Amino acid sequence: MKKYILRRILQAIPLLWFISLVSFALIKLAPGDPVNSFVTPNMSAEDVERIRHSLGLDQPVYMQYLIWLKNIFQGDFGYSLTTHRPVLTMILERLPATIGLMGAALLLSLLIAIPISMIAAAKKNRVTDRVISMVSYIGISIPSFWFGIMLIYIFAVKLHVLPSMGMRTIGVDSIWDILKHGILPCAVLTFMNVSMYSRYIRSQAISQLEEDYVQIQYAYGATKNRVLWRHVLKNVLLPIITILGMSFADLIAGAFITETVFSWPGMGSLGITSIFALDYPVIMGITMFSSVMLVIGNLVADILYGVADPRIKTMR
């Protein structure tokens, strides 16, 4: 197992390098000039060029990339072009809000998606399965920003039972206040995740119910519920582990649209702000953090595969 983990880490190094190269190239190809955010009407052409030189933007693109890469290895993610603050500090400030929101949504999504998916698989093509499938299709189809706006209109504007935006109420410092602010964005993310996860888990459970070991358990006198929750669920763990591994990046990057709609002070809203402001160092910082977490998530998922199914260890 140690050799396998070491091999996966070594394989991740060129992958992360390729991601950084492509991301840097795409940012440079994007329209707009970050120097314009510093330019005032009274500045001369010499002043503009002086700003460009101070930002290192007067050097060839490959030199800009090499300098950036060197600084990254030293733990220096640069400074924001808009706030002039260290990028790493800005990311670490926003990280707890995103981890709290995304972690809660992921946990609720799995707690809801697993049982309803198993029930839908056990009652394939019946009324229960059709209702669950219809709700899942609706969740997959509707835009998250529209669903978020509808929740704000109903629960904040009309009923006045939940706050519409932000993470805290001014002058209020309590856990309950944070939880109230997180209910609506968490509900949006949970509904969207459950809609996707349930379709995936349901199809896996249906395929497992058609396996020979299920019929053997019935022949031994096992009840349908025992077979479903004790045997089938165990074999459905692998796709659930895949979902968890792929969700590691979301814990860092956040939900860009949902966080923006609800003004949640997380990584998603920071990313949107940085994109519109052409704040390249922050964009690259968020991209690399997300890429590292995605690689770590896949590695953790592979390790959990071996724990959930010992046969996978023998195949490596």
Side-chain angles (χ1 to χ4, degrees):
M1 178 63 73
K2 292 182 179 179
K3 292 182 178 179
Y4 173 75
I5 295 175
L6 180 60
R7 186 170 69 250
R8 286 298 306 271
I9 293 175
L10 292 177
Q11 291 174 351
I13 294 175
L15 175 62
L16 292 174
W17 170 78
F18 180 75
I19 291 173
S20 68
L21 184 63
V22 173
S23 301
F24 195 89
L26 289 176
I27 286 177
K28 289 302 178 181
L29 291 174
D33 188 351
V35 176
N36 292 334
S37 59
F38 297 89
V39 175
T40 62
N42 298 327
M43 283 187 177
S44 63
E46 291 77 9
D47 294 330
V48 174
E49 289 303 317
R50 192 178 301 111
I51 294 175
R52 190 181 302 277
H53 175 73
S54 65
L55 296 174
L57 298 177
D58 59 337
Q59 300 188 40
V61 175
Y62 73 90
M63 283 300 300
Q64 296 180 36
Y65 173 73
L66 292 176
I67 293 173
W68 174 84
L69 194 62
K70 175 186 174 182
N71 293 335
I72 287 293
F73 279 115
Q74 296 175 349
D76 181 10
F77 284 77
Y79 286 80
S80 169
L81 299 181
T82 55
T83 64
H84 312 295
R85 299 179 59 210
V87 172
L88 187 59
T89 301
M90 296 175 63
I91 290 177
L92 294 179
E93 287 177 352
R94 300 289 190 111
L95 203 53
T98 291
I99 291 178
L101 178 62
M102 302 302 295
L106 177 61
L107 179 61
L108 288 174
S109 300
L110 292 176
L111 291 177
I112 297 173
I114 292 174
I116 67 172
S117 302
M118 301 298 289
I119 293 172
K123 299 182 180 296
K124 179 183 176 182
N125 295 330
R126 297 182 185 176
V127 175
T128 303
D129 180 35
R130 295 180 185 277
V131 171
I132 294 175
S133 297
M134 181 183 68
V135 175
S136 298
Y137 283 129
I138 292 174
I140 295 172
S141 302
I142 62 175
S144 59
F145 74 88
W146 179 87
F147 185 52
I149 292 173
M150 290 298 101
L151 291 183
I152 292 174
Y153 179 76
I154 295 172
F155 293 99
V157 177
K158 287 296 183 181
L159 300 179
H160 303 285
V161 294
L162 292 172
S164 61
M165 61 180 62
M167 185 177 172
R168 297 176 184 270
T169 302
I170 298 177
V172 179
D173 187 13
S174 66
I175 300 298
W176 173 238
D177 182 63
I178 297 175
L179 292 177
K180 283 198 305 182
H181 281 81
I183 289 176
L184 292 184
C186 187
V188 172
L189 295 173
T190 300
F191 182 58
M192 299 299 169
N193 289 341
V194 169
S195 301
M196 293 185 293
Y197 296 169
S198 60
R199 299 300 303 168
Y200 188 42
I201 298 173
R202 173 186 174 274
S203 63
Q204 295 292 325
I206 290 175
S207 64
Q208 289 296 320
L209 287 171
E210 297 174 352
E211 295 290 336
D212 293 337
Y213 75 88
V214 173
Q215 303 303 321
I216 294 174
Q217 291 297 323
Y218 286 147
Y220 278 111
T223 63
K224 191 170 185 178
N225 285 335
R226 180 182 176 84
V227 171
L228 184 68
W229 298 105
R230 184 168 182 175
H231 300 283
V232 174
L233 179 59
K234 186 184 299 183
N235 290 306
V236 177
L237 282 177
L238 293 182
I240 296 175
I241 291 173
T242 302
I243 292 173
L244 288 173
M246 297 299 292
S247 299
F248 265 66
D250 294 336
L251 291 175
I252 296 296
F256 278 57
I257 297 176
T258 303
E259 289 188 7
T260 302
V261 170
F262 290 95
S263 298
W264 188 262
M267 295 290 293
S269 57
L270 176 63
I272 288 292
T273 303
S274 303
I275 291 172
F276 282 111
L278 299 178
D279 199 341
Y280 297 157
V282 178
I283 298 172
M284 287 299 298
I286 295 175
T287 301
M288 294 312 300
F289 260 80
S290 305
S291 302
V292 170
M293 288 305 298
L294 182 60
V295 171
I296 293 175
N298 288 331
L299 177 60
V300 172
D302 287 343
I303 295 173
L304 292 178
Y305 284 156
V307 175
D309 190 349
R311 295 173 299 178
I312 296 178
K313 291 182 181 180
T314 62
M315 296 171 61
R316 289 174 178 165

